[in-house]
Amino acid sequence: MTFPRFRNARKKSKEDGYFFNFRKRGLKETNDHASQQTLDQGDFFQTAIYSSYETIEKLPQRITSNDGEGDEGKDKITIIPDDPTVQESFECVFASQIKKGFDYEGLWEANPSISSASMESYLSKDLPSPASFHQSLKTTRSSSLSKPRNVFRSVSLVHIGTYGSKNKEDVTEVPKPALSQVMEGKPSASDLSTPRTLCCCQNGIRTPQLKPKDWPQNPLLFRPTPGSGVRVKGVRFVHSTKYLWQQGDTHTWFQSLQEHWGKACHGNPGGSSCPQCMVLPINNGNEPKGETLVVDFTSPVFEGTIQVRLRHTNGTTALPYDDEKGYFKGLNRRYQVVVQGRPLRELSMQHLATGVQMERPFGKLPPKFLLKGILKVVNFFAPQFTAKFDGNQPSCLSPLGSTPQMIRVNGELDIEPKQEEPTKSEETILGKSSTASTTLARAKFRKKNFDKLYMDQSCQTPTMSPSNVYTFEFLQHLVNFTAFRAEFGSVLGSVPLKDALDGQPLQIMSLDKTTEERLWSFDLWHTDLVDDSKRYDVSSS
């Protein structure tokens, strides 16, 4: 069993620490306000050593043991000061405990790989004791504590990571490090890289665990697609190398942004810091120059940066959105996504597609005559667009080489300003450029010529090389994201997306169709989707 106060200390801790798990039989604990309580055989008595007063104040103040030697019949009591400040390493603390009579023979039973000779050699060294962690041995009065009947049997050491959230899904669990590594102050590689407990996103749960009212950019939420292999490396300003958030931080990018603005930020807005499902920023185009937020990410086949702008959103600027200024001023588009990076191996663009690929069937779709009209509109902008509305995994895909409004190879790498189709042949994916004067005309030239190569199986399509950096820009004006409706003009009208998606988010995605590996994959959620998604999670669990 674990006493509640120990659990509280574990949750409150913002410092790294180590737990001692002492296996005892018949250990009794008393105090002035409670009668004696006996722990059954096999239960664990837990305590911890931390370097902050806040985490130590609720820990037990006494640990009783009897080594069975020397002063027979007397209990040795280790007194922990009310306000300890541990400045030295854990190695010193643990060694000091051993020198003061810790029965380290029990370690050989739990850790047979450590020999007595190596332990004696270790203890023979002159090790400094913690400067301000004073301990003393005192004799207990028999009236206050009863004599324990048995000594502890074994000891194990469990590393406790850094915690910044009380949410269960945020807490991760690392494998127990080798004792020799703990003593030498060297954490194992798995301590730094292995998730501690599986986040709910890895257990098949697709609904964002952060309540919609707590979404920093409500009614929208942007995150990596769980299970896609995409992991977030960090969130930063577009021209900065310093992260507002990076893996391992206990704060969120939103908290860092509020601090940058000089505003107080209470609680933990932004929720989980799981790199596979964390909340990511959506720009609105009003950001000051250099302060557009971008996300660095990696996947099994691609690593790069993504920048997302959606019209009429808030949360990335200190002031509310203003449609009369910024990126979207005077433009018809409502959506801009720029992805820049390089593949981790050579990829043929013949097999690369972009679009959406659902995990389960669509919900209630519009009438067929309306769907046909919608497909005609979409095919006008992406001639090779293919849609599969039925089946267990419906999809809407088009070639990555012709769908983006702009593709650039190397060249200008600044993704914050408006992007333009390159004029230099060496910066195009086809190796040849158009002589047209406008970026729109040059993009049409690339789209038309790539689709010819794509349709002619005898022709070789371009490949993406790890030695080059590729920039893709996607523009879209059909979806009103804040209203969560697709608007097709006065003829076809406006179509709500809630019923059709049935609790599934929109995607920003590209994949290799031959291997099903995703170059990138991100989800755009709306609050309208949450209830349907929860119902599916419950029914499938």
Side-chain angles (χ1 to χ4, degrees), residues 207 498 502 530-541:
T207 308
K498 177 181 181 297
D502 191 29
V530 172
D531 289 341
D532 290 336
S533 180
K534 284 183 177 179
R535 279 195 292 270
Y536 178 79
D537 284 341
V538 171
S539 63
S540 60
S541 61

Side-chain angles (χ1 to χ4, degrees), residues 208-403:
Q209 295 306 290
L210 192 64
K211 295 179 180 180
K213 66 181 181 63
D214 297 325
W215 292 3
Q217 296 185 267
N218 182 293
L220 299 175
L221 182 144
F222 175 51
R223 71 172 189 177
T225 304
S228 66
V230 173
R231 298 179 66 91
V232 175
K233 296 169 62 178
V235 178
R236 58 181 172 85
F237 289 131
V238 62
H239 295 155
S240 175
T241 57
K242 181 180 179 182
Y243 283 121
L244 299 173
W245 177 92
Q246 62 183 330
Q247 190 168 351
D249 286 348
T250 56
H251 61 271
T252 65
W253 61 267
F254 190 75
Q255 288 172 311
S256 296
L257 193 60
Q258 295 285 318
E259 182 180 346
H260 174 72
W261 297 336
K263 294 184 178 181
C265 187
H266 304 289
N268 185 31
S272 169
S273 290
C274 170
Q276 300 181 65
C277 68
M278 64 176 291
V279 178
L280 300 174
I282 303 170
N283 299 283
N284 60 23
N286 283 177
E287 293 80 15
K289 185 177 181 180
E291 294 189 9
T292 301
L293 294 171
V294 298
V295 177
D296 293 335
F297 69 93
T298 184
S299 76
V301 291
F302 191 88
E303 64 178 2
T305 301
I306 185 170
Q307 170 189 287
V308 176
R309 286 185 175 123
L310 297 182
R311 202 167 196 155
H312 298 295
T313 59
N314 286 290
T316 57
T317 52
L319 299 175
Y321 175 74
D322 184 354
D323 205 34
E324 296 301 318
K325 67 177 184 180
Y327 173 82
F328 289 105
K329 180 182 178 181
L331 300 177
N332 186 41
R333 67 193 65 157
R334 292 169 168 157
Y335 164 109
Q336 184 218 26
V337 170
V338 180
V339 178
Q340 184 180 88
R342 66 179 187 88
L344 301 182
R345 64 171 185 263
E346 194 167 276
L347 299 173
S348 172
M349 298 200 74
Q350 177 73 32
H351 308 305
L352 303 183
T354 182
V356 297
Q357 190 175 56
M358 298 300 183
E359 290 186 344
R360 63 179 193 272
F362 281 121
K364 183 180 178 181
L365 294 172
K368 288 186 177 181
F369 77 90
L370 187 56
L371 279 179
K372 290 182 179 180
I374 293 173
L375 288 177
K376 287 183 178 180
V377 173
V378 175
N379 281 327
F380 176 80
F381 299 100
Q384 301 305 318
F385 175 84
T386 58
K388 178 184 176 184
F389 292 117
D390 55 356
N392 293 327
Q393 291 185 318
S395 61
C396 300
L397 300 172
S398 58
L400 181 61
S402 59
T403 303

Side-chain angles (χ1 to χ4, degrees), residues 50-178:
Y50 288 96
S51 59
S52 67
Y53 174 75
E54 289 76 16
T55 58
I56 203 71
E57 59 184 2
K58 289 193 176 183
L59 293 178
Q61 298 300 305
R62 292 186 291 189
I63 305 171
T64 305
S65 67
N66 184 1
D67 57 10
E69 299 178 3
D71 298 334
E72 187 173 357
K74 294 183 179 181
D75 296 328
K76 295 182 179 180
I77 302 175
T78 299
I79 303 300
I80 300 178
D82 291 335
D83 188 12
T85 307
V86 182
Q87 301 296 339
E88 278 72 26
S89 67
F90 173 77
E91 174 187 25
C92 302
V93 177
F94 188 65
S96 177
Q97 292 291 312
I98 294 177
K99 281 188 173 183
K100 289 184 179 295
F102 192 90
D103 185 10
Y104 59 83
E105 290 296 331
L107 293 175
W108 277 255
E109 299 175 8
N111 302 274
S113 62
I114 302 178
S115 65
S116 299
S118 63
M119 179 57 75
E120 293 296 341
S121 174
Y122 178 82
L123 292 178
S124 65
K125 299 177 181 179
D126 293 330
L127 296 174
S129 59
S132 50
F133 190 87
H134 304 292
Q135 300 191 8
S136 63
L137 299 177
K138 293 184 179 180
T139 303
T140 182
R141 294 176 299 176
S142 57
S143 59
S144 62
L145 285 177
S146 60
K147 177 182 177 180
R149 293 191 295 270
N150 293 290
V151 299
F152 52 80
R153 294 301 208 125
S154 62
V155 178
S156 62
L157 300 176
V158 181
H159 181 260
I160 305 300
T162 302
Y163 297 88
S165 171
K166 296 183 179 179
N167 295 333
K168 182 177 180 181
E169 62 269 20
D170 297 344
V171 180
T172 57
E173 173 179 50
V174 299
K176 186 183 345 180

Side-chain angles (χ1 to χ4, degrees), residues 494-507:
S494 176
V495 179
L497 298 175
K498 177 181 181 297
D499 293 339
L501 293 173
D502 191 29
Q504 299 180 90
L506 296 172
Q507 293 177 347

Side-chain angles (χ1 to χ4, degrees), residues 426-446:
E426 61 271 21
E427 295 181 5
T428 67
I429 61 169
L430 297 174
K432 57 181 180 180
S433 61
S434 168
T435 57
S437 59
T438 66
T439 182
L440 180 60
R442 293 194 296 272
K444 287 182 177 179
F445 174 84
R446 186 245 313 157

Side-chain angles (χ1 to χ4, degrees), residues 494-520:
S494 176
V495 179
L497 298 175
K498 177 181 181 297
D499 293 339
L501 293 173
D502 191 29
Q504 299 180 90
L506 296 172
Q507 293 177 347
I508 301 172
M509 185 272 294
S510 177
L511 83 164
D512 185 331
K513 293 187 294 183
T514 60
T515 63
E516 294 296 319
E517 293 175 301
R518 299 196 177 189
L519 283 72
W520 58 82

